[in-house]
Amino acid sequence: MITTLKELKKQCEWGKRIIGAAQKGDVIGYSLVKILENIIPIIAPVFYYILVNNVVKEKKIEDIICVILGYAGIFLFETIIKIKMKVYSNRLFQISAIKIKNSMLKKYFEMDKNSWTEQNIGDLKKRIDNDVDNIEEWFNNLYMQLFGMLSVGIISIILLKIRIDLSIICFMFLPISFKITQIVKKRMEVVQNKYDKKLGDFEGDFFDNLQAIDEIKSNQLEDVVLKEFDREWNTLSDIFVEGHMYWFINRTIIAFKDNFVTKIGIYFIGGVLVIYKSFDIAALLLFMEYYERMIGIILSLVDNSVNLAKTGASLSRVCEILDMPSMKVQNLFLEGNIHMKNVCYQSGSKFILNDINLDINRGEKVAIMGESGSGKSTLVKVMFGILKASTGEIMMDNLRLSDYSGEIVFDNLGIVMQDNYFINDTVRNNLKLVKYNIKDQEMLEVCKKVNLNLGEAMLDIVIGENGNKLSGGQRQKLALARLLIRNPQYLVLDEATSALDKQAESEMLRMISENYLNATYIVIAHKMSAINGCNRRIILVDGKCVLDEHLSLQEDGIN
């Protein structure tokens, strides 16, 4: 067979996954219409036989009415089928695509931090975008494969009924078509998977370079980046051409064999049988009509088998995400204690952190200070598992950090950085990112705490792409407002008040310190004014802790 039963079984299992996302009525309706679509062409040659045998040969002119009405009825019926097919198709595939994309997004959100960092963002985007959009084509290919093979079986029986010996001669050539297609299809699957992976890598690199456009320009790397894009695009083009060459070679060989060599042979043998009065001319023409239809279906199955391999590769990538185990996230409250023993973090041959030993207790307000490159931000990332420590032990509330899922840690952690992420939407919707059901009054109260005042109807102001309509200080206040709404057990400020003036910075830090007495509060800073409200200071030099001291109320902030 053009597609093996084992392969069809696997494709049907995928089909059940996709069908499960749609309405059963639409699936049944679509299936029935597909069955009728394949039955009608099998009936049409009967009217051709009546035309040749009754009208032309036996001169029964009155039968021409039957032929005309038959073909008119087939045309009308096929038109209705196409309309119904479009209706069912739109309902079936649009609903399925939306539900599958939502399911994939949920899986993305459920990924633990280690799995996420191993993924290519461009590849994840392609799976949820291009691969899901191939559902309709794949579904049509699957139905075509199933009903096309059924149609070939029915026509084969009809051909055997018309003339057994001529049918056997036709069937002898078919295995060659199947063998050629099997070879090409396997190669096409390899090529398509290679193309999908390369395209995902290309899109990931493209997004990375867009995000780093300022750095690329400042270092005059435009030519280097463009040359790399050209190289990757040429590689993609070569893979694309390779796939189409396989399709062309496959199609050409089979079309030549079935439409030329085999057909000439049948006409020759059939003609000899007609001459010797052992076969009727009308029956020969009917035989050729069914044979040509069967070859047309087989050629469609050949193309479809290759396309099924291509779209099947897309669906396997979708199912790979859908089959990921769901994370059972517990709403576990962490008390806020941290213990680090002999912790090191190594990047390549260089130690970014070296032999860190710290105990931070619940409610402590800790400032981590040091020059640029001393390892401050890295220390916090390792502390909370965003980066994995090379050696050493990290404990949170008497359990190893590795014993917690990333979701539990992140549910209890809030980080505000110098540059933060915002969506191009209103202040209200940016605050709702962290708490969807928050009321307007609560949002206004939090904005008042961080001294964010954008005038009347503040919550309805659109802040622009990544907050570019706000000043640097307003963006940091909005980020701090989101942090306070979440009310996490661990608060981390990484240069989060750098855009504020000294007085505003001092007031902000003191407000956070006073309002969140039970939270563990960590500030990463260069300057002394940024540690207002802290009761402990840690200084790093070249990844080593050189000072760990407690601050008195008079010392903190050092005005």
Side-chain angles (χ1 to χ4, degrees):
M1 289 187 177
I2 292 175
T3 298
T4 65
L5 291 176
K6 183 178 179 182
E7 290 170 337
L8 272 180
K9 183 180 178 182
K10 181 175 71 173
Q11 299 278 353
C12 289
E13 287 174 357
W14 288 345
K16 289 179 182 178
R17 300 282 306 275
I18 305 304
I19 288 172
Q23 297 293 328
K24 288 185 178 179
D26 292 335
V27 176
I28 295 171
Y30 183 83
S31 300
L32 290 175
V33 171
K34 270 291 183 183
I35 292 172
L36 292 173
E37 184 185 43
N38 284 272
I39 289 176
I40 295 302
I42 298 175
I43 299 173
V46 173
F47 297 102
Y48 179 69
Y49 177 78
I50 294 172
L51 177 66
V52 174
N53 189 69
N54 295 15
V55 178
V56 177
K57 182 182 175 184
E58 298 181 5
K59 309 300 181 182
K60 296 179 180 178
I61 303 302
E62 64 274 12
D63 287 350
I64 194 70
I65 303 298
C66 175
V67 174
I68 293 171
L69 290 175
Y71 277 117
I74 288 173
F75 173 77
L76 181 62
F77 209 67
E78 285 181 337
T79 303
I80 294 172
I81 286 173
K82 287 179 180 178
I83 294 171
K84 296 298 291 183
M85 179 70 69
K86 197 63 182 175
V87 171
Y88 283 122
S89 178
N90 286 340
R91 289 211 303 248
L92 180 64
F93 299 118
Q94 288 181 7
I95 292 172
S96 297
I98 291 170
K99 289 186 176 181
I100 290 167
K101 287 185 178 184
N102 285 338
S103 297
M104 291 179 71
L105 271 176
K106 184 179 179 182
K107 292 292 184 179
Y108 287 173
F109 291 142
E110 288 178 351
M111 277 189 193
D112 61 72
K113 56 185 180 299
N114 293 327
S115 298
W116 181 259
T117 54
E118 292 171 0
Q119 300 294 329
N120 181 293
I121 302 302
D123 180 62
L124 293 179
K125 176 186 177 296
K126 187 178 184 303
R127 291 185 191 227
I128 203 170
D129 192 356
N130 301 39
D131 290 340
V132 174
D133 287 342
N134 282 332
I135 286 174
E136 183 172 358
E137 183 182 355
W138 169 80
F139 222 112
N140 286 327
N141 289 336
L142 181 61
Y143 269 91
M144 174 61 196
Q145 204 71 16
L146 292 169
F147 294 121
M149 292 168 65
L150 179 63
S151 298
V152 168
I154 294 172
I155 293 175
S156 298
I157 294 171
I158 294 172
L159 290 174
L160 288 168
K161 286 283 186 182
I162 297 172
R163 187 84 188 194
I164 293 178
D165 51 0
L166 206 55
S167 299
I168 292 172
I169 294 172
C170 296
F171 298 157
M172 286 172 60
F173 290 96
L174 292 180
I176 301 173
S177 302
F178 300 151
K179 187 61 179 177
I180 293 171
T181 302
Q182 283 296 321
I183 295 171
V184 173
K185 188 162 71 70
K186 286 181 181 179
R187 185 57 193 165
M188 274 298 302
E189 288 177 350
V190 174
V191 172
Q192 187 63 34
N193 282 322
K194 184 166 69 171
Y195 180 81
D196 288 340
K197 184 179 185 307
K198 193 66 182 175
L199 183 59
D201 292 341
F202 176 82
E203 291 185 351
D205 292 341
F206 181 76
F207 295 140
D208 290 342
N209 280 286
L210 278 181
Q211 291 176 332
I213 191 70
D214 291 338
E215 185 177 346
I216 290 171
K217 286 184 175 181
S218 62
N219 289 286
Q220 297 181 333
L221 296 173
E222 295 97 323
D223 290 340
V224 175
V225 171
L226 288 173
K227 285 179 180 178
E228 182 62 20
F229 275 146
D230 285 341
R231 187 188 66 78
E232 291 186 359
W233 188 253
N234 288 335
T235 303
L236 272 173
S237 299
D238 291 341
I239 299 172
F240 182 80
V241 171
E242 181 185 359
H244 278 265
M245 283 300 297
Y246 280 114
W247 173 87
F248 176 76
I249 292 169
N250 180 56
R251 192 70 161 79
T252 303
I253 293 174
I254 292 175
F256 177 76
K257 179 186 72 65
D258 290 333
N259 280 335
F260 183 71
V261 178
T262 309
K263 191 179 290 186
I264 287 177
I266 293 171
Y267 270 122
F268 176 77
I269 297 171
V272 171
L273 293 173
V274 170
I275 291 170
Y276 286 96
K277 309 294 183 180
S278 63
F279 199 28
D280 184 68
I281 184 65
L284 175 60
L285 293 175
L286 179 64
F287 185 94
M288 289 306 301
E289 181 74 11
Y290 272 115
Y291 172 75
E292 288 178 2
R293 286 182 181 272
M294 185 179 74
I295 291 302
I297 295 172
I298 289 174
L299 287 175
S300 297
L301 288 174
V302 167
D303 291 343
N304 184 73
S305 183
V306 175
N307 290 332
L308 195 61
K310 290 173 62 178
T311 54
S314 295
L315 265 292
S316 68
R317 286 157 50 82
V318 171
C319 291
E320 187 180 317
I321 298 297
L322 296 177
D323 288 338
M324 292 176 65
S326 296
M327 297 290 295
K328 295 182 179 179
V329 181
Q330 299 172 281
N331 294 320
L332 184 62
F333 176 77
L334 299 180
E335 292 185 4
N337 302 302
I338 303 169
H339 170 76
M340 303 180 74
K341 182 179 179 181
N342 302 327
V343 173
C344 297
Y345 178 75
Q346 187 175 1
S347 178
S349 59
K350 183 180 178 182
F351 278 93
I352 310 300
L353 297 176
N354 197 349
D355 198 28
I356 300 295
N357 291 278
L358 289 175
D359 282 298
I360 299 175
N361 298 317
R362 177 187 180 187
E364 277 197 284
K365 318 300 179 188
V366 182
I368 300 176
M369 305 188 70
E371 299 294 329
S372 295
S374 59
K376 303 185 299 299
S377 296
T378 303
L379 173 60
V380 172
K381 289 178 181 178
V382 170
M383 186 182 295
F384 294 103
I386 300 171
L387 295 175
K388 187 176 180 180
S390 302
T391 59
E393 181 181 65
I394 303 174
M395 307 280 287
M396 301 184 80
D397 295 348
N398 299 318
L399 282 177
R400 288 190 300 271
L401 178 62
S402 57
D403 292 335
Y404 297 105
S405 71
E407 284 66 32
I408 292 175
V409 176
F410 294 150
D411 278 349
N412 287 270
L413 172 65
I415 299 179
V416 178
M417 307 182 74
Q418 188 171 359
D419 295 312
N420 299 279
Y421 171 74
F422 302 101
I423 58 174
N424 186 8
D425 209 326
T426 60
V427 171
R428 175 185 289 103
N429 288 336
N430 272 276
L431 293 175
K432 282 191 171 186
L433 287 175
V434 294
K435 187 179 178 181
Y436 184 76
N437 59 350
I438 187 173
K439 304 297 183 184
D440 283 4
Q441 185 59 38
E442 187 180 349
M443 285 188 268
L444 291 171
E445 289 173 1
V446 172
C447 289
K448 184 177 180 181
K449 280 186 177 181
V450 299
N451 197 26
L452 176 62
N453 186 4
L454 302 177
E456 294 183 8
M458 177 178 71
L459 297 179
D460 295 316
I461 293 175
V462 177
I463 66 174
E465 185 174 355
N466 213 24
N468 61 10
K469 292 183 179 180
L470 304 179
S471 67
Q474 289 171 334
R475 285 197 297 272
Q476 289 191 335
K477 288 177 180 179
L478 182 57
L480 287 165
R482 288 198 307 204
L483 176 69
L484 300 186
I485 289 171
R486 281 196 60 207
N487 192 22
Q489 187 56 36
Y490 298 94
L491 281 75
V492 178
L493 306 185
D494 189 352
E495 302 287 348
T497 56
S498 58
L500 304 179
D501 60 50
K502 187 174 181 179
Q503 182 179 352
E505 180 182 52
S506 178
E507 292 173 356
M508 180 74 69
L509 294 172
R510 192 175 293 279
M511 181 276 297
I512 294 174
S513 177
E514 291 174 353
N515 280 272
Y516 297 90
L517 296 175
N518 294 322
T520 302
Y521 171 43
I522 299 172
V523 177
I524 299 173
H526 285 96
K527 53 187 180 179
M528 298 299 295
S529 61
I531 67 171
N532 199 343
C534 293
N535 54 24
R536 182 177 173 189
R537 177 173 58 182
I538 295 168
I539 296 179
L540 295 181
V541 176
D542 295 331
K544 295 182 179 180
C545 180
V546 298
L547 180 66
D548 184 353
E549 63 176 356
H550 287 274
L551 302 173
S552 66
L553 290 176
Q554 289 76 25
E555 291 177 312
D556 71 351
I558 308 181
N559 297 319

